[in-house]
Amino acid sequence: MLHSIIEMLNSIIEMFHSIIGAITGENDRKKIRGTVVLMKKNVLDFTDFRSSIIDRVYELVGKGVSLQLVSAVHADPTNGLQGKVGKPAYLKGWITTITPSTATAGEESAFKVTFDHDAEIGQPGAFIIRNNHRNEFYLRTLTLEDVPGHGRIHFVCNSWVYPAYKYDTDRVFFTNQAHLPSETPGPLRGYRESELVNLRGDGTGELKEWDRVYDYAYYNDLGNPDRHGKYARPVLGGSVEYPYPRRGRTGRPPSETDPNTESRLPLLMSLNIYVPRDERFGHIKMSDFLAYALKALVQFLLPEFEALCDSTPNEFDSFQDVFDLYEGFKVPDGPLLDKIKDNVPLEMLKELVRTDGEGFFKFPTPQVIKEDKSAWRTDKEFAREMLAGLNPVVIRRLKEFPQESKLDPKVYGNQNSSITKEHIENHLDGLTINKALEKKRLFILDHHDTLMPYLRRINTTSTKTYASRTVLFLKDDGTLKPLAIELSLPHPDGDKFGAVSKVYTPAEHGVEGSIWQLAKAYAAVNDSGYHQLLSHWLNTHAVIEPFVIATNRQLSVLHPINKLLDPHFRDTMNINALARQILINAGGVVESTVYPSKYAMEMSSVVYKNWVFTEQALPADLINRGMAEKDSDAPHGLRLVLDDYPYAVDGLEIWSAIETWVEDYCSFYYKTDEMVEKDSELQSWWKELREEGHGDKKDEPWWPKMHTVKELIDTCTIIIWVASALHAAVNFGQYPYAGFLPNRPTISRRFMPEEGTPEYEELKSNPEKAFLKTITAQLQTLLGISLIEILSRHSSDEVYLGQRDTPEWTLDATPLKAFEKFGRKLADIEENIIKRNGDERFKNRVGPVKMPYTLLYPTSEGGLTGKGIPNSVSI
């Protein structure tokens, strides 16, 4: 019945338009035929039938969606010499292309549109679109066929178009031809400039979902003082004490309690946090689902997990209890389980906790225990993961012994390492310490200086931990072995008295072996927190967001550098906004599951003081950490100090491929350094990025001046590397390595047992239980692995490095060929990685856990794969 009514309405509309055309003579004029690809909003809503009916009325009497071509060659003197605008044309077949009863989420449709040919338009360079329906739609492309004298013309849009009454100005889209500002056809320049003005906004008011404004704000939205004083947090950014990259502005009013803190959305409104609509998660993407899963995790699963902690409250009694998480464990029936079932859609619940309908939770088995359940405990695997784990970006070569602290001795006293010659010299395969240093065979994982200034405060929370240093030796077979772990606490009489430190050395048996396992766990806790807050959040998510904002505010979509960088910004603002709402906020998941607790984000701000943009380049990072040296005869101009360093070996190949692609691309548009200096948009972009986006570092001398083509190439290479490969290396290994939390504990809850205490006796009699009572508790484990499982997954429509979501992203043939070459190079790198992983000479690539290093393997299928480099920080 419904379908018959729709068919009848469509027939009436077609007949109505034909009659009008015959009366006006429009049917006899020369036409330009086009195809519009879009997705209706009501497709996403499934049931928005009322909107659909109203849209049909608009189609009948109001001509729902109009398009007008804008000339790239003929200016209109009555319109400020902007491009002449053609007559409106209207989309056809809106009603019957998709019906709500048959639509599926993410389904796109093609619509016909016919323009009158106007010789005064000549070559179209843009078009104006007006949406007279009551709902927005996602506009993918417009393609014009047989434009007289020009043939086929293609417009890539990829934007949500809201009803016209929501906008103060018309929506304008440009062809896929890139133009530097000075080379833009005169009739299009005004449209180009006006579009950027619209995207910048005026800096006032609360932003709504249809606003397209990109603007900056401090991180003043993490705290929630209106809820309780204990949820107050300092503002990050805008001060010497707490510098930070800027985030996207939402314009929400200040909290009632603190005028400097932005008010927060209720949890139920988490998905409505403002980001420009085109930055929201894709309509097909699993990330929409991810957002709901995150909310479900916090709102419904957390209380259920609390109910699970039964016979021994909040504790695992043995490693078998942990293994049971991956073999299935019963959820007790009760109101909380019913609450989950009532509030979390079935498909989402299955994805999140894999229930089998009988009340069992079951997590996927992490790769680190898939082949061998105990190999993670070996010293060899502990050391290998510093080179090929989920945080391979911290280890550095030891250049002095003992290691000196960089903390101010006037404030913190003597913080130098207390590891002595006696602790390690008998384990250097016959070398003296000086000889081992000279031969570049000593390495250190050093979290001492980062943690010590906060340690006294952190230990007032439920966390009880140390600042750690781990010294390692490079063996003849290319593997590392840990020599000693130093655990330090602030002096009880005050910071100025220095550190109180104790050094632990390897042991395999008895209580000494158990103590050594705990020492490694404390070092792993330090590394887990550093990884999550700094290597991952700060150094990829947070530092990239200002580039997203500045690019949209200052570089037109016509600008070649916008076209180069745009794919590497996909979904970043959205995932960061969700993180501020649910994960890194006061009382959020990160504070609940990572040891710095309420000081987590504040600590990341202090570390940002030492962030240097140019050192984010992989070669510079490796040299800075003493892991590589310049060598013009070596591949990539670098010689690794440690040949079998999987992250660095694979990473340098990826880095080099990115750099070559960026050089090929930029050199096509910029033939001289002068062209870079005189590019007004590029210079405004770089100025705003330094002075606003990373404004707390605007006076740093290391910023590139952006005066040369090389500086532009280097800058864009770093941006793409950080957003793609660096993020992949530190994100997608989270579940494979840390899904088994004893391997990567995130919290320690008591200090090392001292001889003569009940805890020491328990360590002797039941070392597994003592170990598990020290590290992350049961509740935090369940919450933590639920989170990282979500964050370690690829969506089914992910776009990977070397790929684009549309093949016609530019009209320029030379960049397209260079991009194809980039894709072929990445395919070669995949083959190289497979070969290296199969070569038994490289013992760090697979290790005791029999888990090949694949985190920098460029492509992947969807799901939990432990490989694949998405273009952007998209999860």
Side-chain angles (χ1 to χ4, degrees):
M1 179 68 181
L2 176 62
H3 185 73
S4 299
I5 294 171
I6 290 170
E7 286 293 318
M8 184 176 69
L9 271 173
N10 192 58
S11 298
I12 293 170
I13 289 168
E14 287 296 318
M15 184 172 65
F16 180 77
H17 289 165
S18 296
I19 293 169
I20 294 297
I23 293 170
T24 61
E26 286 184 9
N27 295 350
D28 301 325
R29 293 177 188 164
K30 193 170 183 181
K31 306 295 184 186
I32 297 173
R33 305 197 185 280
T35 303
V36 171
V37 177
L38 60 78
M39 183 188 62
K40 297 181 184 179
K41 192 256 185 177
N42 58 299
V43 171
L44 305 182
D45 289 352
F46 294 103
T47 57
D48 196 357
F49 180 63
R50 181 166 170 262
S51 297
S52 188
I53 291 295
I54 293 174
D55 284 352
R56 291 182 174 89
V57 175
Y58 274 112
E59 286 293 315
L60 182 62
V61 297
K63 296 186 175 180
V65 179
S66 71
L67 296 90
Q68 294 172 276
L69 299 179
V70 178
S71 176
V73 290
H74 297 302
D76 182 352
T78 67
N79 188 27
L81 294 179
Q82 295 195 108
K84 185 173 175 58
V85 179
K87 292 181 179 178
Y90 299 91
L91 288 195
K92 297 177 182 176
W94 182 269
I95 294 175
T96 56
T97 306
I98 300 178
T99 63
S101 60
T102 60
T104 57
E107 190 173 334
E108 293 175 349
S109 302
F111 295 84
K112 297 301 180 186
V113 61
T114 303
F115 299 90
D116 286 337
H117 172 57
D118 183 346
E120 293 188 15
I121 296 293
Q123 181 182 358
F127 72 91
I128 294 168
I129 188 166
R130 289 180 63 86
N131 173 11
N132 296 312
H133 292 303
R134 69 189 298 271
N135 271 337
E136 68 270 25
F137 55 79
Y138 186 76
L139 181 62
R140 176 70 76 187
T141 58
L142 165 64
T143 306
L144 304 179
E145 305 292 349
D146 299 323
V147 178
H150 303 287
R152 183 176 180 274
I153 295 179
H154 189 65
F155 300 79
V156 177
C157 307
N158 290 336
S159 182
W160 286 93
V161 178
Y162 275 75
Y165 70 86
K166 297 282 192 185
Y167 297 126
D168 294 329
T169 57
D170 287 327
R171 292 298 312 274
V172 178
F173 294 93
F174 300 92
T175 66
N176 59 343
Q177 174 65 61
H179 292 290
L180 294 176
S182 61
E183 297 170 354
T184 306
L188 296 180
R189 285 182 185 171
Y191 291 104
R192 177 176 183 148
E193 291 163 5
S194 295
E195 180 70 356
L196 286 174
V197 170
N198 292 336
L199 292 171
R200 290 177 202 138
D202 62 6
T204 65
E206 183 170 358
L207 297 168
K208 304 300 182 185
E209 66 172 272
W210 52 86
D211 288 321
R212 303 167 55 233
V213 170
Y214 294 79
D215 203 356
Y216 302 98
Y218 301 139
Y219 275 69
N220 65 343
D221 60 342
L222 301 178
N224 191 358
D226 289 351
R227 180 181 174 190
H228 191 280
K230 68 179 181 180
Y231 295 109
R233 296 291 181 271
V235 174
L236 305 184
S239 67
V240 174
E241 186 177 10
Y242 298 123
Y244 221 62
R246 303 300 186 254
R247 63 169 176 93
R249 185 178 78 85
T250 69
R252 291 200 306 271
S255 67
E256 295 177 7
T257 312
D258 177 9
N260 294 319
T261 297
E262 188 171 280
S263 59
R264 290 187 58 79
L265 291 176
L267 184 63
L268 286 169
M269 300 286 288
S270 294
L271 304 184
N272 296 331
I273 187 168
Y274 174 79
V275 293
R277 183 63 194 272
D278 291 345
E279 303 299 331
R280 295 284 284 266
F281 289 144
H283 37 282
I284 316 170
K285 187 175 168 135
M286 189 194 75
S287 302
D288 255 356
F289 158 90
L290 149 84
Y292 286 101
L294 286 174
K295 193 168 80 169
L297 179 70
V298 175
Q299 192 170 353
F300 303 118
L301 296 183
L302 179 56
E304 180 57 34
F305 287 157
E306 286 172 342
L308 275 174
C309 304
D310 45 16
S311 57
T312 317
N314 218 23
E315 298 295 349
F316 292 110
D317 295 321
S318 67
F319 287 131
Q320 186 56 50
D321 283 357
V322 185
F323 292 133
D324 285 345
L325 297 178
Y326 318 106
E327 291 160 13
F329 58 101
K330 187 79 169 71
V331 180
D333 289 327
L336 285 173
L337 182 59
D338 293 338
K339 188 176 181 184
I340 291 177
K341 290 177 178 176
D342 291 343
N343 287 281
V344 184
L346 176 62
E347 285 305 310
M348 189 184 306
L349 188 65
K350 279 168 61 180
E351 183 65 34
L352 190 61
V353 290
R354 266 151 307 284
T355 68
D356 60 2
E358 299 300 320
F360 275 89
F361 280 162
K362 184 180 179 183
F363 291 99
T365 302
Q367 282 175 271
V368 76
I369 56 167
K370 193 168 274 186
E371 299 296 327
D372 186 323
K373 287 187 174 181
S374 60
W376 65 273
R377 302 193 75 179
T378 62
D379 288 359
K380 185 177 285 189
E381 180 61 23
F382 171 72
R384 184 190 81 93
E385 290 185 20
M386 300 177 198
L387 304 171
L390 76 156
N391 194 31
V393 295
V394 179
I395 188 172
R396 52 178 63 238
R397 180 163 59 86
L398 196 58
K399 298 179 181 178
E400 60 185 5
F401 189 86
Q403 175 75 15
E404 292 188 2
S405 170
K406 292 184 172 62
L407 294 175
D408 185 350
K410 293 176 184 173
V411 178
Y412 295 103
N414 179 12
Q415 295 287 339
N416 296 336
S417 177
S418 60
I419 300 174
T420 64
K421 171 182 171 181
E422 287 71 30
H423 287 123
I424 68 171
E425 194 156 70
N426 290 337
H427 305 283
L428 301 180
D429 292 0
L431 298 177
T432 63
I433 286 178
N434 286 338
K435 204 68 178 171
L437 288 170
E438 184 185 321
K439 287 181 169 288
K440 304 179 175 64
R441 294 182 69 173
L442 288 175
F443 297 83
I444 188 167
L445 187 73
D446 189 351
H447 293 304
H448 181 96
D449 285 3
T450 302
L451 196 52
M452 184 56 77
Y454 277 87
L455 197 53
R456 196 183 299 276
R457 281 175 284 172
I458 288 170
N459 284 339
T460 64
T461 70
S462 58
T463 292
K464 300 292 178 279
T465 197
Y466 303 89
S468 68
R469 292 183 176 109
T470 304
V471 173
L472 308 103
F473 177 69
L474 176 60
K475 295 165 62 179
D476 290 337
D477 67 357
T479 63
L480 293 175
K481 70 172 180 181
L483 299 174
I485 295 173
E486 175 190 63
L487 301 178
S488 304
L489 290 170
H491 198 284
D493 295 334
D495 289 347
K496 65 181 180 181
F497 293 99
V500 177
S501 302
K502 191 165 182 179
V503 177
Y504 300 87
T505 54
E508 291 187 14
H509 306 294
V511 71
E512 292 82 9
S514 300
I515 286 173
W516 173 244
Q517 289 295 332
L518 278 177
K520 289 193 294 181
Y522 288 116
V525 165
N526 275 198
D527 198 56
S528 292
Y530 190 99
H531 161 260
Q532 200 61 272
L533 297 170
L534 307 173
S535 304
H536 183 204
W537 168 258
L538 174 66
N539 288 339
T540 63
H541 284 260
V543 301
I544 281 292
E545 186 161 356
F547 289 91
V548 183
I549 299 169
T551 299
N552 281 279
R553 286 169 56 87
Q554 300 296 343
L555 296 180
S556 163
V557 292
L558 288 166
H559 200 289
I561 301 304
N562 180 304
K563 289 183 181 292
L564 173 68
L565 296 179
D566 181 68
H568 304 288
F569 299 150
R570 182 190 192 210
D571 295 344
T572 301
M573 289 186 74
N574 203 161
I575 190 64
N576 285 4
L578 267 177
R580 297 195 310 273
Q581 184 67 14
I582 296 175
L583 301 180
I584 60 173
N585 58 301
V589 177
V590 168
E591 286 194 358
S592 303
T593 59
V594 180
Y595 70 85
S597 189
K598 63 183 286 189
Y599 301 106
M601 291 300 291
E602 183 181 329
M603 202 168 93
S604 75
S605 164
V606 172
V607 172
Y608 175 66
K609 292 178 180 180
N610 299 318
W611 182 81
V612 177
F613 174 72
T614 50
E615 290 180 3
Q616 307 313 300
L618 179 60
D621 168 58
L622 293 170
I623 291 168
N624 188 43
R625 290 189 285 119
M627 302 301 287
E629 297 172 334
K630 289 184 179 179
D631 184 345
S632 57
D633 296 328
H636 321 297
L638 283 188
R639 181 171 48 80
L640 291 175
V641 170
L642 202 163
D643 291 334
D644 186 13
Y645 183 1
Y647 163 74
V649 172
D650 297 357
L652 284 170
E653 287 196 355
I654 298 288
W655 168 270
S656 180
I658 295 171
E659 186 177 46
T660 300
W661 150 238
V662 172
E663 183 176 3
D664 289 347
Y665 183 88
C666 291
S667 299
F668 176 76
Y669 295 101
Y670 296 92
K671 306 299 184 188
T672 65
D673 292 341
E674 185 182 26
M675 291 179 73
V676 171
E677 280 197 86
K678 291 191 172 179
D679 184 333
S680 56
E681 286 184 8
L682 189 73
Q683 294 303 324
S684 296
W685 170 70
W686 194 238
K687 182 176 190 292
E688 182 174 286
L689 189 281
R690 297 190 327 269
E691 296 181 1
E692 299 288 340
H694 282 278
D696 297 329
K697 290 188 164 286
K698 63 184 178 184
D699 297 323
E700 297 285 2
W702 40 255
W703 285 109
K705 305 295 184 202
M706 204 54 72
H707 290 166
T708 67
V709 179
K710 185 179 187 309
E711 285 179 322
L712 175 61
I713 291 167
D714 291 347
T715 295
C716 291
T717 302
I718 291 172
I719 293 168
I720 294 172
W721 163 260
V722 170
S724 60
L726 179 60
H727 179 258
V730 297
N731 183 75
F732 293 102
Q734 289 187 87
Y735 195 82
Y737 285 101
F740 181 67
L741 224 60
N743 184 53
R744 296 282 300 176
T746 57
I747 293 174
S748 51
R749 295 175 290 144
R750 61 184 192 181
F751 294 121
M752 184 72 83
E754 297 289 342
E755 202 165 353
T757 63
E759 290 81 6
Y760 191 86
E761 293 304 312
E762 183 180 46
L763 188 64
K764 285 167 67 176
S765 63
N766 193 341
E768 277 191 17
K769 188 169 185 177
F771 182 94
L772 291 165
K773 284 171 77 170
T774 300
I775 65 164
T776 317
Q778 191 177 31
L779 170 62
Q780 283 95 340
T781 295
L782 291 164
L783 189 59
I785 64 178
S786 297
L787 172 66
I788 63 173
E789 194 210 339
I790 296 165
L791 299 183
S792 300
R793 287 181 171 271
H794 292 296
S795 68
S796 58
D797 70 333
E798 190 60 83
V799 184
Y800 296 94
L801 193 63
Q803 301 175 356
R804 293 268 176 155
D805 60 2
T806 174
E808 297 185 75
W809 57 275
T810 181
L811 197 61
D812 295 317
T814 301
L816 285 173
K817 287 178 181 175
F819 190 65
E820 288 176 13
K821 185 179 83 169
F822 178 44
R824 290 194 299 271
K825 181 62 178 176
L826 292 171
D828 291 342
I829 292 170
E830 289 189 349
E831 293 298 319
N832 294 343
I833 291 172
I834 291 170
K835 287 176 185 174
R836 285 193 289 268
N837 284 345
D839 191 330
E840 293 184 0
R841 291 176 301 163
F842 302 131
K843 300 186 184 308
N844 294 324
R845 296 203 69 93
V846 176
V849 293
K850 301 181 179 65
M851 178 181 175
Y853 185 73
T854 55
L855 290 174
L856 288 174
Y857 188 89
T859 60
S860 174
E861 58 277 8
L864 200 60
T865 65
K867 64 180 181 179
I869 303 175
N871 269 326
S872 61
V873 179
S874 59
I875 195 167

